[in-house]
Amino acid sequence: MKKALGLLMAVVLAAGALGCSVSVSVSDKTDKTAEELMEIVLNSVQFPQLVELTDEERIKGDLGIDLSLVKEYAVVQQMLSVDICEVIILIAKDEGAAKELEGVLEARKESLINDFAFYPNQVAWAEATEVGKVMNVVYLICHEEADEAAQALIEEVTDA
């Protein structure tokens, strides 16, 4: 009986230790800033000249992003309307916020396709737009090589 009880205690302790080590080593948050992640994206493929969008009213109104859900953000857009190009990096406050923000960026992608793509090149770039979520990072990349830029971002976040 003592051996069985001892064995049971050992199993419980081992399971507890494994559970703790797993929960400590797995994180759902990145340690990178939105600006650092933006640099990774912008250096991954050749982007046209972009300008940083910092006006919170434009971010809320034009892009529909509820900044109360965001810990930090970085947004760049095309200076001229020759090409349709945009990158949005949002670090969400929590998982629920990340899911909501992903929906907002999906709607932004549809807006880029339906409302802003007037020329064949713009249509191609808009349709290539990548929207996704990795850990607490939500992103939109509108570029002809958006898949490559998104892969660079995902690798940076998951390797961190």
Side-chain angles (χ1 to χ4, degrees):
M1 181 70 166
K2 285 184 181 181
K3 286 184 182 180
L5 186 57
L7 182 60
L8 179 61
M9 286 179 55
V11 169
V12 169
L13 287 173
L18 283 175
C20 290
S21 67
V22 169
S23 66
V24 169
S25 65
V26 174
S27 173
D28 62 349
K29 298 187 180 347
T30 182
D31 61 349
K32 302 287 184 189
T33 67
E35 291 293 328
E36 291 170 330
L37 295 174
M38 181 64 76
E39 282 300 312
I40 298 299
V41 170
L42 296 179
N43 290 326
S44 64
V45 296
Q46 186 173 354
F47 280 87
Q49 189 170 5
L50 303 170
V51 293
E52 186 176 9
L53 181 60
T54 58
D55 181 1
E56 290 186 5
E57 291 305 314
R58 282 200 54 212
I59 291 170
K60 292 176 191 175
D62 295 352
L63 304 179
I65 297 171
D66 180 354
L67 293 176
S68 71
L69 302 173
V70 177
K71 188 171 131 184
E72 59 180 272
Y73 64 88
V75 178
V76 294
Q77 294 180 319
Q78 177 71 25
M79 283 181 60
L80 304 171
S81 61
V82 175
D83 289 318
I84 187 168
C85 186
E86 185 169 282
V87 180
I88 302 171
I89 307 286
L90 307 171
I91 300 181
K93 289 186 176 178
D94 56 44
E95 181 64 24
K99 287 182 180 181
E100 186 173 335
L101 291 165
E102 187 176 22
V104 168
L105 294 186
E106 284 289 350
R108 177 64 181 168
K109 176 182 178 178
E110 289 303 313
S111 176
L112 289 170
I113 293 169
N114 297 324
D115 301 336
F116 298 107
F118 301 112
Y119 302 105
N121 187 44
Q122 291 177 334
V123 172
W125 282 39
E127 290 176 347
T129 298
E130 293 279 329
V131 174
K133 179 178 83 62
V134 57
M135 296 186 186
N136 64 327
V137 178
V138 186
Y139 61 88
L140 176 144
I141 303 169
C142 177
H143 186 275
E144 68 179 335
E145 297 176 88
D147 56 340
E148 288 182 42
Q151 189 58 42
L153 174 67
I154 292 166
E155 288 173 6
E156 183 66 29
V157 171
T158 57
D159 287 346

